[in-house]
Amino acid sequence: MKSETEDTPLFHKPLSRRKLLGGAATAAVVLVQTAVGKTVQAAIPEAAVIPDDPTKKQGPLPSELGTRSAYEKPVRKPSDTSSRTPLQDLYGTITPADLHYERHHGGVPTINPEEYELYIHGLVEKPMKFTLSDLKRFPAFSRICFLECSGNFRSNPAGKITPQEIAGLTSQSEWTGVLLSTLFREVGIKPNATWFLAEGSDAAVMTRSIPVKKGLQDGMIAYAQNGEAIRPEQGYPARLFLPGWEGNTSVKWLRRIEFSDAPFMTREETSKYTEPVKDGKIRQFSFDMDARSIITFPTYPVQVEKGWIEIRGIAWSGRGKITKVEVSTDAGKTWQLARLQDPVLDKAHTYFRHLWQWNGTETEIMSRAVDETGYTQPTFNQLVAARGDNKGGYHFNPITTWLIQWDGQVLNKPDK
């Protein structure tokens, strides 16, 4: 005599006539194996083949931390030295904190906020030490601003490259902290102090020399990002933040500020963060990030259809606000004004849109940004002409071109 266990399918009991005929709970009959390896018929519940009706089932209860939908999986693209923000997967201008691009020189240090200390000394009246709690006692200041690595440019000869890979070393957050001007008044800067050294707590002991006037203008020490404590990869528990300047100057895990009457000429500002210009000359202390834009839709690997397409993307400038973005849909022969999404903020990513009807013929689309100083985003060839063949990889902000093939496949058009 067979036991019930031997004949019972692993997950389903034998079918009844009511289930086969009627069926509200039965959607299909399939063959399954029992625990002893015998193949028998079994009914598959409707829920197993038809997605749950969310109005008929209690969902998860409130949780401690939110999660993304299982259908949404934006990820950064890491390399040995950085992780790039998936620009083509984002909406609006704020970058989720966990998708903010990442770049550091000695890994991410672990710092106990209870033991954190910031020293300010050098040409000051009162050398002082601040704990994290001390910093949070000063008036808090928040602003929305982009951050960008000075080496934010990649290309691919085959054109199979996304906005994330080309320019994903820029992201935007709402940063909160204390203004440097507040701390500078607290320690009393001496009249001959024109520069200060910012030093990090990472394994590379990252250092940069910064003009005092920039710190007084809009520099801050940020301890929060998008409403939460700044993340370890972004400098937890506190970092320097210099709006509009190349990202390496916003030293993370900040532990020391020293004032001087001259730049300190560290490794990062002599052999590293410099770029060649024409005739063998080298540009040093090129802090401001130039105006730039990039279309984020449609781009590789999207395939579009004939008809109306909303071309959209982001534009930004380290020297102020974006005043206009122009879009070309005929390989640069003509340009049309794109719509800028309010608010257009100082030194911030600005969202732009342009509605276009594609007739199915092969063409090239591109965008170029203009900022309030009148600077216009250059072409690749204009940059090469200004710098020579040894153009280096820093502060390279050319117009990016996307080729739309006759079948709707979108590829990046490599610069030459």
Side-chain angles (χ1 to χ4, degrees):
M1 183 177 179
K2 297 174 183 177
S3 70
E4 182 178 348
T5 302
E6 289 175 335
D7 280 344
T8 301
L10 289 177
F11 304 107
H12 308 286
K13 294 181 178 179
L15 297 177
S16 69
R17 178 177 173 79
R18 180 182 62 80
K19 287 182 178 178
L20 279 173
L21 294 179
T26 303
V29 176
V30 297
L31 298 177
V32 297
Q33 284 194 327
T34 66
V36 295
K38 184 179 179 181
T39 301
V40 299
Q41 285 188 324
I44 296 295
E46 186 177 272
V49 293
I50 300 175
D52 289 341
D53 179 351
T55 67
K56 307 299 183 187
K57 183 179 180 182
Q58 173 69 50
L61 297 176
S63 58
E64 291 184 341
L65 287 175
T67 59
R68 291 191 174 88
S69 163
Y71 300 97
E72 301 291 335
K73 297 179 179 177
V75 293
R76 294 188 297 197
K77 193 174 184 65
S79 67
D80 291 341
T81 58
S82 63
S83 287
R84 293 169 170 263
T85 294
L87 300 177
Q88 68 281 354
D89 297 330
L90 303 184
Y91 304 93
T93 59
I94 296 295
T95 306
D98 60 354
L99 295 177
H100 194 288
Y101 87 84
E102 188 180 336
R103 173 76 173 98
H104 35 79
H105 299 72
V108 179
T110 299
I111 300 174
N112 183 342
E114 299 296 327
E115 298 174 357
Y116 174 79
E117 292 177 335
L118 169 64
Y119 294 90
I120 302 182
H121 64 114
L123 294 178
V124 297
E125 300 295 339
K126 296 182 296 179
M128 297 183 72
K129 178 179 68 179
F130 300 92
T131 66
L132 184 62
S133 177
D134 292 334
L135 295 178
K136 291 181 178 178
R137 289 174 60 193
F138 289 105
F141 177 80
S142 295
R143 72 174 296 171
I144 294 173
C145 191
F146 78 88
L147 190 66
E148 183 178 19
C149 174
S150 59
N152 190 22
F153 177 73
R154 291 288 184 279
S155 62
N156 181 313
K160 295 183 177 180
I161 187 171
T162 65
Q164 178 176 21
E165 294 166 296
I166 296 170
L169 293 181
T170 184
S171 309
Q172 177 153 283
S173 294
E174 181 189 55
W175 306 95
T176 299
V178 55
L179 288 173
L180 280 183
S181 57
T182 301
L183 296 180
F184 288 2
R185 281 194 297 270
E186 196 73 8
V187 298
I189 307 171
K190 292 185 177 180
N192 59 335
T194 53
W195 291 76
F196 68 87
L197 183 78
E199 182 179 277
S201 301
D202 55 326
V205 192
M206 179 72 179
T207 52
R208 285 306 312 260
S209 298
I210 309 296
V212 169
K213 63 181 180 182
K214 174 61 176 177
L216 291 171
Q217 179 189 34
D218 57 6
M220 64 188 295
I221 294 178
Y223 48 73
Q225 174 188 15
N226 294 344
E228 63 178 7
I230 202 167
R231 298 205 169 196
E233 300 88 349
Q234 297 304 323
Y236 181 86
R239 70 176 300 167
L240 181 63
F241 189 82
L242 302 174
W245 281 23
E246 58 184 32
N248 63 77
T249 62
S250 290
V251 175
K252 295 186 280 192
W253 315 289
L254 186 67
R255 69 174 185 178
R256 189 169 72 90
I257 290 177
E258 179 181 355
F259 285 89
S260 176
D261 58 1
F264 288 76
M265 295 298 180
T266 70
R267 184 195 75 143
E268 309 300 341
E269 50 216 31
T270 52
S271 67
K272 295 300 179 184
Y273 290 109
T274 60
E275 63 271 3
V277 290
K278 247 183 173 179
D279 303 325
K281 295 181 180 178
I282 301 294
R283 189 167 67 166
Q284 191 179 28
F285 298 123
S286 47
F287 295 126
D288 292 292
M289 296 308 295
D290 295 318
R292 188 174 184 180
S293 69
I294 186 166
I295 292 171
T296 55
F297 181 86
T299 57
Y300 177 79
V302 167
Q303 186 158 6
V304 295
E305 298 179 355
K306 286 194 295 185
W308 290 103
I309 297 172
E310 185 181 68
I311 297 172
R312 48 183 178 263
I314 53 173
W316 63 97
S317 171
R319 293 190 173 87
K321 294 180 180 178
I322 290 294
T323 54
K324 67 178 178 180
V325 176
E326 296 174 309
V327 171
S328 176
T329 55
D330 56 6
K333 296 183 181 67
T334 63
W335 294 83
Q336 297 85 42
L337 277 179
R339 294 185 60 186
L340 303 185
Q341 174 69 55
D342 288 329
V344 178
L345 301 175
D346 180 61
K347 300 168 186 169
H349 285 174
T350 299
Y351 211 56
F352 69 84
R353 298 184 174 90
H354 178 69
L355 198 58
W356 169 56
Q357 190 170 32
W358 182 47
N359 61 11
T361 59
E362 188 168 294
T363 189
E364 296 170 11
I365 63 173
M366 58 192 78
S367 64
R368 64 184 180 194
V370 179
D371 68 19
E372 59 185 347
T373 70
Y375 178 92
T376 302
Q377 184 181 0
T379 65
F380 182 90
N381 289 334
Q382 287 172 328
L383 282 168
V384 172
R387 299 185 185 183
D389 292 335
N390 185 22
K391 58 186 184 303
Y394 296 132
H395 291 267
F396 216 67
N397 61 327
I399 291 172
T400 300
T401 303
W402 300 96
L403 169 66
I404 300 183
Q405 300 183 139
W406 63 269
D407 61 355
Q409 177 70 52
V410 184
L411 297 171
N412 173 243
K413 182 181 179 183
D415 297 301
K416 298 178 181 177

